[in-house]
Amino acid sequence: MSVFYFTVGKTSAKLLKKVTKIPIQYPWNIENSENLIKIIKNNKKINKKNVVIINGNIGRIFLKKELKKDGYKVFNLECYRRKLIQYNKYTESIKWKKNKINTLIITSCEILKRLEYLFHDNKNKKWIYNCTIICTGERIKKLALNMGWKKVILCSSANNYVIFQKIKSLKWSAKEDLNL
């Protein structure tokens, strides 16, 4: 029986390779589920066998749904739990405004929805929608624009190095705010 390992991102691939000592495939150009599916489907050795997806309790179901549609037997293994931090909406908005926060890095749609929930009243919603968002995927960018954000910058990956390089490349006042 052959076992193949895939990850959505480079960092996970490196860590998994360290443990398994075998090559790990991942979408090196754009690290996301959509590109991972392409890699899996293009692997002629798999033959639509069993796939185990290791994720958290709020993991995205897109990967599972798409693979099942193509005849793969898909199983989920929940290996960690995400727990949202409960913030005080009033004190957070005051703190963020006092610190002149104007740029947000968003790595998931869940984070974006949570931000809107935290700053949902009209005064704060107007302020948060004027912040610039650096998002790590097309799906997040589309959702941000649909929700009302105007300044949305796309970053090709949630990899810290890639995000930092994107921030450094920006030619706007946020560079000074971030002390770059």
Side-chain angles (χ1 to χ4, degrees), residues 40-120:
I40 293 170
K41 289 180 180 181
N42 289 333
N43 187 324
K44 304 296 181 212
K45 296 177 184 174
I46 292 181
N47 295 327
K48 299 185 181 174
K49 303 267 179 170
N50 298 331
V51 174
V52 177
I53 299 173
I54 300 171
N55 62 355
N57 60 314
I58 312 174
R60 188 171 171 217
I61 61 166
F62 175 78
L63 183 60
K64 180 177 184 175
K65 194 168 71 175
E66 289 299 306
L67 290 172
K68 278 183 140 186
K69 222 186 314 183
D70 272 4
Y72 293 86
K73 285 175 111 179
V74 183
F75 306 90
N76 273 67
L77 177 61
E78 188 179 296
C79 66
Y80 63 91
R81 296 192 69 66
R82 295 181 192 176
K83 186 170 177 10
L84 296 174
I85 298 170
Q86 298 303 316
Y87 292 103
N88 180 305
K89 296 176 191 182
Y90 177 73
T91 57
E92 284 305 306
S93 65
I94 290 171
K95 184 169 48 172
W96 287 32
K97 289 175 186 177
K98 180 181 175 192
N99 287 304
K100 298 182 179 154
I101 302 295
N102 66 2
T103 305
L104 310 165
I105 299 169
I106 307 296
T107 58
S108 74
C109 290
E110 289 77 23
I111 292 171
L112 194 59
K113 290 172 187 171
R114 184 77 172 148
L115 267 176
E116 188 179 51
Y117 168 76
L118 279 172
F119 301 103
H120 76 282

Side-chain angles (χ1 to χ4, degrees), residues 18-30:
K18 200 178 205 179
V19 173
T20 64
K21 309 290 188 234
I22 64 168
I24 311 297
Q25 296 180 57
Y26 68 94
W28 57 269
N29 55 343
I30 299 176

Side-chain angles (χ1 to χ4, degrees), residues 133-150:
I133 290 185
I134 299 172
C135 61
T136 57
E138 278 293 338
R139 203 170 12 94
I140 303 166
K141 178 182 177 181
K142 184 179 177 182
L143 179 60
L145 291 168
N146 287 340
M147 290 169 94
W149 272 275
K150 304 290 183 260

Side-chain angles (χ1 to χ4, degrees), residues 115-135:
L115 267 176
E116 188 179 51
Y117 168 76
L118 279 172
F119 301 103
H120 76 282
D121 63 86
N122 287 339
K123 188 171 124 185
N124 285 320
K125 192 177 260 189
K126 183 178 179 188
W127 170 78
I128 198 79
Y129 283 162
N130 281 319
C131 289
T132 298
I133 290 185
I134 299 172
C135 61

